[in-house]
């Protein structure tokens, strides 16, 4: 039995509590839509196959987590933006689906602050009032699409058109989803649900040594540009994946995807050759469900994806 | 009708000590334990701090005294499912070898002990997944085998569960600093060439000779104490890669080990809650017994009228302390019975 399957720490109660909605508000991610537009498309494709219609809004802005993390703004701005952003799906009577761990983490956290502290709520209420919007009441539920896919794993399995037999895939989970310990469906330190999804798609999962290492995005490319700190770290991670025979890596966060995919060029330029395509989990699922390759936006990747996936396209 | 029998629920060291002391004054005691044998957790422990008495021999000694005293009736494999205050007495319902029974007692001692924290809750350490990762309790249970198996490097990780609010346990389990030092010492004695590391947050050796004991383990046995948390345990090349931070040096460190021992927390036992609430007592935020304010109780182990408690059901404590509390609860029971009889006459 594979290592990850022994003693899964997935919380079946939390999984069972997840909805199987017909309609969901799709919260767009800045990094996701700019860096890898194929991700957003893939989310829609998988949603369509599972019977989930995604509604978006041009009024939605950035989740502000970005600026909050690097102290570029004071927290009031983040609170006001979140209150405003979440009042949009509230008005539509929809819950929120996100495809970025960052959006997920920040929306969850800021929404919690908004409905647990009256002073914070007032900041949001004032902003909405000034903009002529309705007040945000804090009842909108926020889900990451990866958990909604896992919730319907059986249905996904039955929809596979391109079984990924023999493809060695490794997971990178990302901190900002799993760190939400009270709501994440799996253990923060030893998650295994992505591996279950790979199995459902017919692929082989690989556990590599640095599987649990951070992507380094925030420290490197994201905000502080400390290349000297982060590059050895990512090099280490990617080389350990290569050593374990990983052919493809998936993420559930465009930030992670950016760091792990784009930096491979830098790593190679410093003399350590590595070439492991990194794509979003939703892209992988959409691919296995038979989505046309040209719709999945693999051209946006720095490390070429098609050499690994092309043999599955009939 | 005044029945002078005393019920002791839980036959660990605290409960056994209470039963022995109460029965020594001639009172009838019924000592009940859900396990097949008396002795609670301690019967499975190796050497106990501070004088390295074997857990099993301590339990044997207590069991011998209990067996030799006809005033103590022992019911093992028995669970008390109801304990209620009824007209100045206590009515207990329990199931003994399939037979439901009821009995009236004039006083009771609750000594339902503790459970061990589930090490699996720390996914990062891989307990239950990676061979070679064990808990301190496993170390005690399999001591002989563990000390025999050759080890190049062993790592002890303290505060696994304790003092971690994210796991819902803000409190210190108190005994882990001492038993970790003791286990490190035993390992060093069995295998002098082994490299032994202890990762700690603080060293809380607040027992008689505790500080000297830990210092001795560091200075004479050359066990290396590193202040910092272990972030991850990663199985690599058949060994366990430890990734941690040395917070005194301010550097991340890595080392490879063959054995990782997690000093897991003591958590409240499930039996405590229902018994305590049935007799009108309260639990604290962590699930241990909430003591009566010191100035309001006649005995330090008082809980409610005629009910006393002892041992780790109140709060994590070491073996010596559990026995002290057992004796204190026995004193409480005896003076309660004395004054109660005075009032009845």
């Amino acid at each position: 039995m594979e290592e990850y399957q022994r003693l899964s720490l997935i919380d079946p109660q939390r999984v069972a509590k997840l909805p199987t909605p017909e309609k969901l508000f799709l919260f767009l991610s800045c990094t996701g839509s700019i860096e890898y537009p194929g991700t957003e498309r893939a989310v829609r494709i998988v949603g369509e196959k599972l019977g989930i219609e995604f509604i978006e809004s041009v009024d939605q802005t950035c989740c502000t987590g970005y600026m909050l993390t690097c102290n570029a703004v004071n927290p009031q701005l983040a609170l006001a933006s979140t209150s405003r952003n979440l009042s949009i799906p509230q008005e539509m009577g929809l819950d929120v689906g996100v495809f970025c761990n960052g959006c997920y983490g920040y929306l969850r956290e800021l929404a919690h602050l908004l409905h647990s502290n009256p002073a914070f709520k007032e900041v949001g209420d004032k902003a909405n009032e000034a903009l002529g919007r309705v007040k945000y009441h804090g009842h909108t539920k926020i889900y990451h699409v990866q958990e909604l896919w896992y919730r319907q794993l059986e249905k996904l399995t039955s929809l596979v058109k391109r079984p990924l037999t023999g493809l060695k895939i490794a997971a990178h989970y990302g901190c900002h989803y799993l760190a939400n310990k009270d709501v994440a469906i799996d253990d923060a330190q030893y998650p295994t649900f992505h591996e279950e999804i790979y199995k459902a798609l017919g692929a082989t999962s690989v556990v590599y040594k640095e599987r649990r290492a951070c992507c380094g995005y925030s420290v490197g490319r994201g905000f502080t540009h400390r290349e000297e700190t982060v590059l050895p770290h990512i090099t280490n991670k990617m080389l350990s994946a290569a050593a374990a025979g990983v052919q493809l890596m998936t993420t559930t966060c465009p930030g992670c995807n950016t760091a792990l995919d784009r930096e491979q060029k830098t790593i190679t330029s410093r003399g350590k050759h590595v070439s492991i395509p990194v794509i979003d989990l939703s892209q992988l699922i959409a691919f296995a469900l038979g989505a046309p390759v040209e719709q999945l936006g693999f051209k946006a990747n720095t490390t070429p994806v098609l050499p690994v996936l092309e043999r599955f396209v009939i | 009708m005044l029945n002078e029998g005393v019920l002791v629920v839980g036959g660990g060291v605290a409960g056994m000590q209470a039963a022995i002391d109460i029965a020594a004054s001639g009172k009838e005691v019924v000592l009940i334990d859900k396990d097949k044998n008396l002795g609670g957790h301690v019967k499975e422990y190796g050497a106990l701090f501070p004088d390295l008495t074997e857990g099993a021999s301590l339990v044997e000694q207590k069991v011998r005294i209990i067996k030799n005293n006809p005033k103590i009736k022992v019911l093992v494999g028995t669970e008390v499912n109801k304990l209620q205050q009824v007209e100045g007495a206590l009515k207990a319902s329990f199931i003994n070898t399939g037979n439901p029974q009821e009995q009236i007692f004039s006083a009771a001692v609750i000594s339902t002990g503790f459970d061990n924290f589930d090490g699996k809750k720390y996914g990062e350490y891989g307990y239950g997944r990676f061979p070679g990762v064990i808990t301190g309790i496993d170390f005690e249970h399999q001591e002989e085998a563990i000390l025999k198996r050759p080890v190049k490097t062993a790592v002890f990780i303290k505060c696994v569960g304790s003092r971690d609010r994210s796991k819902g346990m803000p409190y210190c389990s108190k005994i882990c600093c001492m038993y970790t030092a003791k286990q490190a010492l035993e390992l060093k004695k069995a295998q002098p060439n082994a490299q032994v590391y202890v990762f700690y947050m603080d060293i809380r050796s607040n027992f008689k000779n505790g500080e000297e004991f830990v210092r001795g383990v560091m200075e004479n046995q050359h066990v290396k104490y590193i202040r910092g948390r272990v972030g991850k345990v990663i199985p690599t090349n058949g060994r366990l890669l430890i990734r941690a931070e040395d917070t005194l040096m301010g550097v991340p460190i890595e080392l490879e080990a063959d054995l990782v021992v997690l000093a897991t927390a003591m958590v409240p036992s499930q039996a405590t809650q229902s018994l305590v609430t049935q007799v009108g007592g309260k639990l604290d935020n962590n699930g241990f017994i909430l003591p009566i304010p010191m100035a309001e109780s006649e005995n330090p182990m008082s809980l409610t009228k005629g009910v006393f408690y002892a041992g780790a059901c109140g709060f994590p404590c070491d073996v010596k302390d559990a026995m002290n509390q057992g004796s204190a609860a026995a004193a409480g029971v005896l003076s309660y019975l004395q004054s109660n009889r005075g009032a009845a006459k």
Side-chain angles (χ1 to χ4, degrees):
Chain A
M1 193 181 280
E2 304 213 31
E3 188 191 19
Y4 73 86
Q5 282 171 312
R6 286 194 283 126
L7 243 172
S8 151
L9 296 173
I10 297 167
D11 187 341
Q13 286 181 342
R14 284 193 194 160
V15 177
K17 271 188 203 155
L18 289 169
T20 52
E22 287 173 2
K23 223 176 185 186
L24 210 56
F25 181 85
L26 185 64
F27 195 95
L28 299 180
S29 143
C30 321
T31 316
S33 302
I34 293 164
E35 297 270 0
Y36 300 101
T39 307
E40 192 184 312
R41 189 63 183 267
V43 170
R44 288 179 188 285
I45 293 171
V46 180
E48 196 181 304
K49 304 256 183 194
L50 290 175
I52 306 173
E53 186 192 348
F54 284 109
I55 312 289
E56 61 180 74
S57 165
V58 287
D59 280 344
Q60 181 224 311
T61 64
C62 165
C63 73
T64 66
Y66 234 127
M67 292 179 284
L68 196 61
T69 308
C70 54
N71 289 328
V73 296
N74 70 24
Q76 276 84 339
L77 181 83
L79 286 165
S81 306
T82 306
S83 183
R84 181 186 164 282
N85 275 335
L86 291 177
S87 75
I88 301 167
Q90 175 186 278
E91 227 173 330
M92 298 177 177
L94 295 174
D95 287 335
V96 178
V98 300
F99 57 89
C100 166
N101 284 355
C103 298
Y104 180 84
Y106 288 112
L107 284 181
R108 276 267 183 195
E109 195 171 330
L110 290 161
H112 170 74
L113 291 176
L114 283 169
H115 54 73
S116 60
N117 186 323
F120 291 159
K121 188 173 180 299
E122 207 190 315
V123 175
D125 288 349
K126 273 190 183 158
N128 280 332
E129 203 183 336
L131 294 164
R133 296 201 60 84
V134 289
K135 280 183 187 174
Y136 170 60
H137 299 299
H139 302 305
T140 314
K141 294 197 173 68
I142 299 152
Y143 303 105
H144 193 299
V145 294
Q146 59 176 324
E147 53 190 17
L148 300 180
W149 305 157
Y150 183 74
R151 169 77 175 81
Q152 301 203 52
L153 190 57
E154 270 178 39
K155 194 170 175 189
L156 270 187
T157 314
S158 70
L159 291 169
V160 172
K161 295 279 182 324
R162 293 182 187 131
L164 305 172
T165 317
L167 186 63
K168 290 182 170 176
I169 313 184
H172 172 83
Y173 284 83
C175 323
H176 288 263
Y177 173 72
L178 293 171
N180 287 271
K181 69 183 173 74
D182 294 326
V183 285
I185 56 172
D186 206 348
D187 181 71
Q189 292 292 341
Y190 212 94
T192 55
F193 73 108
H194 287 183
E195 275 85 352
E196 276 188 42
I197 296 177
Y198 304 155
K199 196 180 169 194
L201 305 179
T204 310
S205 63
V206 182
V207 175
Y208 59 110
K209 184 179 154 194
E210 303 295 344
R211 175 177 178 265
R212 290 177 278 164
C214 159
C215 70
Y217 179 64
S218 303
V219 185
R221 193 170 271 269
F223 319 124
T224 45
H225 298 280
R226 294 238 172 138
E227 199 187 63
E228 72 284 1
T229 305
V230 90
L231 205 59
H233 173 81
I234 305 183
T235 306
N236 201 14
K237 182 175 172 87
M238 297 315 284
L239 288 182
S240 95
V246 174
Q247 295 169 329
L248 180 80
M249 194 180 282
T250 72
T251 63
T252 45
C253 171
C256 300
N257 212 95
T258 308
L260 299 178
D261 173 40
R262 306 264 188 255
E263 297 295 357
Q264 286 186 47
K265 205 175 164 186
T266 326
I267 297 170
T268 303
S269 75
R270 306 277 161 96
K272 300 246 164 89
H273 178 75
V274 58
S275 175
I276 299 172
V278 185
I279 62 172
D280 194 273
L281 183 67
S282 298
Q283 285 177 297
L284 180 79
I285 297 173
F287 178 79
L289 299 193
V293 178
E294 58 280 9
Q295 289 188 8
L296 296 176
F298 291 140
K299 280 183 187 159
N301 287 53
T302 302
T303 313
V305 180
L306 283 177
V308 173
L309 288 184
E310 146 184 272
R311 67 186 161 108
F312 300 102
V313 184
I314 307 151
Chain B
M1 185 191 72
L2 197 66
N3 186 320
E4 295 239 323
V6 179
L7 170 70
V8 178
V9 190
V13 282
M16 288 197 293
Q17 188 65 50
I20 289 168
D21 290 347
I22 296 165
S25 73
K27 299 274 186 284
E28 302 276 345
V29 177
V30 176
L31 175 59
I32 292 185
D33 198 282
K34 66 176 176 358
D35 215 359
K36 278 183 214 142
N37 296 300
L38 290 178
H41 292 275
V42 176
K43 66 176 175 291
E44 285 160 13
Y45 290 169
L48 301 171
F49 181 78
D51 58 9
L52 305 187
T53 301
E54 283 292 315
S57 60
L58 173 72
V59 170
E60 259 170 50
Q61 180 231 1
K62 300 284 174 211
V63 169
R64 207 179 315 125
I65 301 173
I66 288 170
K67 279 195 175 148
N68 289 337
N69 191 335
K71 292 280 180 193
I72 307 176
K73 185 180 169 194
V74 177
L75 295 176
V76 285
T78 304
E79 225 164 314
V80 177
N81 42 24
K82 236 180 188 180
L83 187 63
Q84 284 168 308
Q85 305 266 16
V86 183
E87 294 161 11
L90 291 155
K91 189 166 92 173
S93 320
F94 44 89
I95 299 169
N96 174 236
T97 55
N99 303 320
Q101 290 181 20
E102 270 186 8
Q103 197 171 334
I104 305 282
F105 296 96
S106 49
V109 176
I110 295 176
S111 47
T112 38
F114 66 98
D115 286 341
N116 292 310
F117 175 78
D118 180 6
K120 293 188 197 93
K121 288 188 182 163
Y122 281 77
E124 60 266 50
Y125 299 151
Y127 177 67
R129 286 172 194 276
F130 312 148
V133 181
I134 62 170
T135 63
I137 306 303
D138 297 336
F139 190 105
E140 293 296 324
H141 289 187
Q142 312 154 20
E143 198 176 342
E144 222 171 298
I146 287 163
L147 295 180
K148 263 187 206 158
R149 195 167 48 225
V151 166
K152 261 197 223 158
T153 308
V155 165
F156 288 83
I157 305 175
K158 289 208 273 188
C159 301
V160 178
S162 310
R163 302 175 69 193
D164 188 345
R165 287 189 290 178
S166 75
K167 295 285 186 289
M169 281 169 299
Y171 60 90
C172 164
S173 289
K174 227 163 119 179
I175 62 163
C176 322
C177 282
M178 292 317 301
Y179 82 65
T180 298
K182 186 216 73 173
Q183 291 173 348
L185 171 77
E186 284 172 333
L187 195 62
K188 260 301 204 190
K189 278 191 171 164
Q191 302 185 36
N193 292 327
Q195 293 284 331
V196 181
Y197 296 87
V198 176
F199 285 88
Y200 69 96
M201 284 159 69
D202 296 293
I203 300 172
R204 298 187 166 178
S205 50
N206 298 346
F207 299 94
K208 187 175 167 68
N209 292 332
E211 181 67 16
E212 296 92 319
F213 187 89
V214 176
R215 280 276 148 209
V217 168
M218 286 179 193
E219 289 165 10
N220 305 331
Q221 304 296 333
H222 307 293
V223 170
K224 296 182 181 71
Y225 271 66
I226 299 174
R227 196 188 81 178
R229 290 293 280 179
V230 172
K232 285 179 177 65
V233 175
I234 303 167
T236 316
N237 310 327
R239 301 186 81 195
L240 297 158
L241 177 73
I242 310 296
R243 211 165 260 172
E245 187 188 3
D246 183 334
T247 52
L248 288 179
M249 300 294 288
V251 290
I253 51 173
E254 274 189 2
L255 51 100
E256 278 190 13
D258 319 288
L259 177 70
V260 174
V261 186
L262 312 178
T264 43
M266 291 165 91
V267 298
S269 76
Q270 291 186 338
T272 309
Q273 184 176 9
S274 64
L275 282 186
V276 166
T277 45
Q278 281 173 30
V279 295
K282 281 185 185 151
L283 297 172
D284 64 19
N285 292 338
N286 300 321
F288 293 107
I289 291 172
L290 184 73
I292 299 172
M294 283 188 283
E296 290 171 25
S297 60
E298 283 175 23
N299 181 281
M301 308 321 292
S302 289
L303 184 61
T304 55
K305 193 172 181 324
V307 183
F308 299 79
Y309 71 95
C313 56
F315 192 69
C317 62
D318 66 322
V319 174
K320 185 85 192 308
D321 192 11
M323 293 193 294
N324 292 347
Q325 292 184 28
S327 284
V333 166
L334 294 175
S335 62
Y336 168 77
L337 292 179
Q338 193 66 28
S339 57
N340 215 23
R341 183 158 51 190
K345 274 178 184 172

